[in-house]
Amino acid sequence: MTNFAIDIQSLNKTYRPRGKGQQAEKVALQDVTLQIPRGSMFALLGPNGAGKSTIINIMAGLVNKSSGTVRIWDIDIDQDSRSAKAAIGVVPQELNFDPFFTPAQLLDIQAGMYGVPKVERRTQEILKMMGLEDKAGAYTRSLSGGMRRRLMVAKAMVHNPPILVLDEPTAGVDVELRQQLWENVRQLNRQGVTVLLTTHYLEEAQELCDTIAIINHGRIIACEEKETLLSRIDAKEIHFRLDKPVEAIPPGLAGFHTAIQGRRTLVVRYRPRDHHVGAIIAAVQAGGYEIVDLSTDENSLEAVFLQLTAAPVTVAASV
């Protein structure tokens, strides 16, 4: 057995028109290779229409691939699709549930669809894990939006899959409920569940995930550990709040990109590999200023994402 929860090799998908008068064929995925380590928190990011949902739907057996191989928990989806589907739990973007059932009933029905015997069902355990224990007997139509999102995660876990796929799970969820949902997901990950996340909230991916892949126009353009990916932009900013108005840039900062914000804030942009923070602080003080406070603006995943998706598409090797 390999060390990968999901192993995708040279995956292609082309949607071809059917009948006369249809649009030209659309290439959704081009030679996608992606290997997701077991036990990881992995993010798959990309603009709308980049191919994220197509990959997920192929793994879930909802879309037929054109070519390539997909292995889920070391099971080839072509050779044993039933076992492959049983190894994955998918939380879709759309909320889908019957409003006239209770959460407990929905989880029992979902478990029955996966063939889980009644004695092996973990309905109450899963509801407790997702913070829905007190809502087990309530109609789902009475649940808040955040509770419904958590119920979707609970439904995906009824057959105890080793892989959980979250497709935009926090869309439309407020900050507090989002934090609760992520704590639930972290708990699952600590128990050994591999998590694959797609999201447009890039700060979530940066905070939660250890490895990040970026897809654009159906191609993987980056797949690296988070710190490696963030280091692609080798630049930082320091914001100095000084004890008096800045009248001129200190001479010692002549070789830096500097700017004055307001009256007393000096912004210095630099490359960590070329300059040390201590030298910058010394230059400010040598200019006759005392530093009242300072803050740094670190590299963000958003900056890397925008840089990569704006550039011409090239194929990147996966980790």
Side-chain angles (χ1 to χ4, degrees), residues 193-214:
V193 176
T194 302
V195 177
L196 170 59
L197 165 70
T198 75
T199 180
H200 286 297
Y201 297 107
L202 300 185
E203 67 277 7
E204 287 184 345
Q206 183 169 346
E207 179 183 351
L208 293 166
C209 298
D210 41 56
T211 307
I212 296 171
I214 298 177

Side-chain angles (χ1 to χ4, degrees), residues 10 18 29 33 49 62 68 70 91 98 106 110 115 133 152 166 178 182 185 198-200 214 227 235 266 268 275 300:
S10 303
R18 294 182 178 180
L29 299 175
T33 293
L62 300 176
V70 178
V91 181
D98 192 315
L106 285 176
Q110 187 83 355
E133 187 177 24
M152 296 297 293
L166 304 169
R178 187 180 301 161
W182 286 132
V185 173
T198 75
T199 180
H200 286 297
I214 298 177
E227 297 304 324
L266 181 65
V268 181
H275 303 280
S300 70

